[in-house]
Amino acid sequence: MTIHQYADHYDNSANRQVEVSDETLAKLARCSSGSLTTQLFKRGYRQPAFVGLRAISGPKTKAFAGRAFTMRFIPAREDIDTYGTMTTKPNGDNLQWQGVEQIKPGDVLVIDSRNDPAAASAGNILVTRLLARGARAIVTDGALRDGSEIAALPLPAYAREITATTRISYHHVADLQVPIGCAGLAVYPGDVIVGDVDGLTLVPAHLAAELAEVCLEQDDIEGYLAMRIASGEPLWGVYPPSPESVAAYHDWVVSGRPSIASIVHQKD
């Protein structure tokens, strides 16, 4: 009786070496988180959302998509993480600033803060430098400091909390550009982070181009179906889309997308 059967060879390297184009990023930035998470679920990804992280700038947050640049924290240690590490030139015990200076246009700095908001993962000056280097966003499952200043910047920033405590009180930057955990998700360098005012979604790089196309299409048809529901129609036969409602959607597009009466904005 065979209890275990293992393959002789394994090669999954191709899925981790895909570089997502700027064109695909632009399309993903237009996709809703609902369509992205639904399509990822269809492909076996049950939880691709960064649960519990909020956009610091609130309703002003602009949608974006970018490539993950990862940074891993471990607990600080008193004999290593001292104020003396804040030197005017690079040193091995302050990898955070080296990481910021390696950011490329289109990157999202994703920080594994071990879900610990006791000390800030970064502050206004580092976030401003990220903006200058062309970053799309900063994401941490810990905290940020200088919240009001960061909220005023055009760079989206996501965190659990705002705290004034300096990073070196609790965190040591151990690695750059390695697989990390952030808000319970495995993030690999080059994965795509898609964000908006509602939150963040992780898209594995090898699925990015495929999802960019299908999610834009899903968003469009669901926008049409939502208008029909808002006109007073029942769910059954409309949503989830039946063959008839899909055909009606295509007819609606061909006829120039005419307006549909809505009960949502009726005047009293």
Side-chain angles (χ1 to χ4, degrees):
M1 180 175 64
T2 301
I3 298 177
H4 298 292
Q5 184 173 354
Y6 300 100
D8 292 328
H9 302 285
Y10 172 72
D11 182 8
N12 194 33
S13 59
N15 285 353
R16 301 176 194 172
Q17 296 178 354
V18 174
E19 183 164 348
V20 180
S21 70
D22 289 339
E23 179 183 5
T24 294
L25 292 180
K27 291 180 180 178
L28 285 170
R30 294 161 47 203
C31 296
S32 71
S33 56
S35 289
L36 287 169
T37 55
T38 296
Q39 291 298 330
L40 284 164
F41 178 80
K42 289 181 178 181
R43 290 157 178 78
Y45 296 83
R46 290 184 174 274
Q47 178 49 284
F50 291 75
V51 177
L53 306 190
R54 62 183 180 88
I56 301 303
S57 56
K60 298 185 298 180
T61 305
K62 294 182 179 179
F64 71 91
R67 307 172 192 90
F69 183 103
T70 62
M71 180 179 289
R72 183 174 72 91
F73 287 2
I74 62 173
R77 206 172 79 181
E78 289 77 3
D79 60 333
I80 294 175
D81 297 286
T82 67
Y83 199 77
T85 63
M86 303 297 179
T87 57
T88 58
K89 294 181 180 180
N91 70 77
D93 285 327
N94 189 8
L95 286 180
Q96 184 178 43
W97 292 359
Q98 293 186 48
V100 169
E101 290 297 334
Q102 292 176 29
I103 289 290
K104 297 177 181 178
D107 284 349
V108 174
L109 178 58
V110 185
I111 303 173
D112 173 4
S113 297
R114 302 174 293 115
N115 279 312
D116 183 359
S121 299
N124 175 60
I125 291 178
L126 293 188
V127 176
T128 300
R129 182 57 180 157
L130 291 174
L131 175 65
R133 290 194 61 80
R136 296 283 170 86
I138 178 173
V139 177
T140 176
D141 60 3
L144 294 170
R145 71 195 304 191
D146 309 323
S148 59
E149 294 170 90
I150 292 174
L153 295 174
L155 184 76
Y158 295 78
R160 291 202 183 283
E161 304 285 350
I162 298 297
T163 183
T165 306
T166 182
R167 172 185 59 81
I168 55 177
S169 296
Y170 286 93
H171 303 305
H172 176 86
V173 182
D175 282 306
L176 303 173
Q177 287 294 72
V178 297
I180 62 169
C182 184
L185 296 183
V187 183
Y188 287 78
D191 280 343
V192 177
I193 311 299
V194 184
D196 57 22
V197 66
D198 292 326
L200 299 159
T201 305
L202 184 143
V203 177
H206 67 283
L207 293 176
E210 176 186 347
L211 261 62
E213 299 298 332
V214 71
C215 289
L216 285 176
E217 182 178 355
Q218 179 175 332
D219 280 341
D220 196 46
I221 189 171
E222 290 197 353
Y224 161 76
L225 298 177
M227 286 190 288
R228 287 184 56 181
I229 297 300
S231 74
E233 291 191 54
L235 291 173
W236 306 122
V238 178
Y239 187 82
S242 64
E244 292 77 15
S245 61
V246 172
Y249 159 74
H250 290 298
D251 290 341
W252 175 75
V253 172
V254 169
S255 54
R257 301 174 180 265
S259 61
I260 299 174
S262 174
I263 63 172
V264 176
H265 301 296
Q266 288 181 347
K267 294 182 179 180
D268 296 333

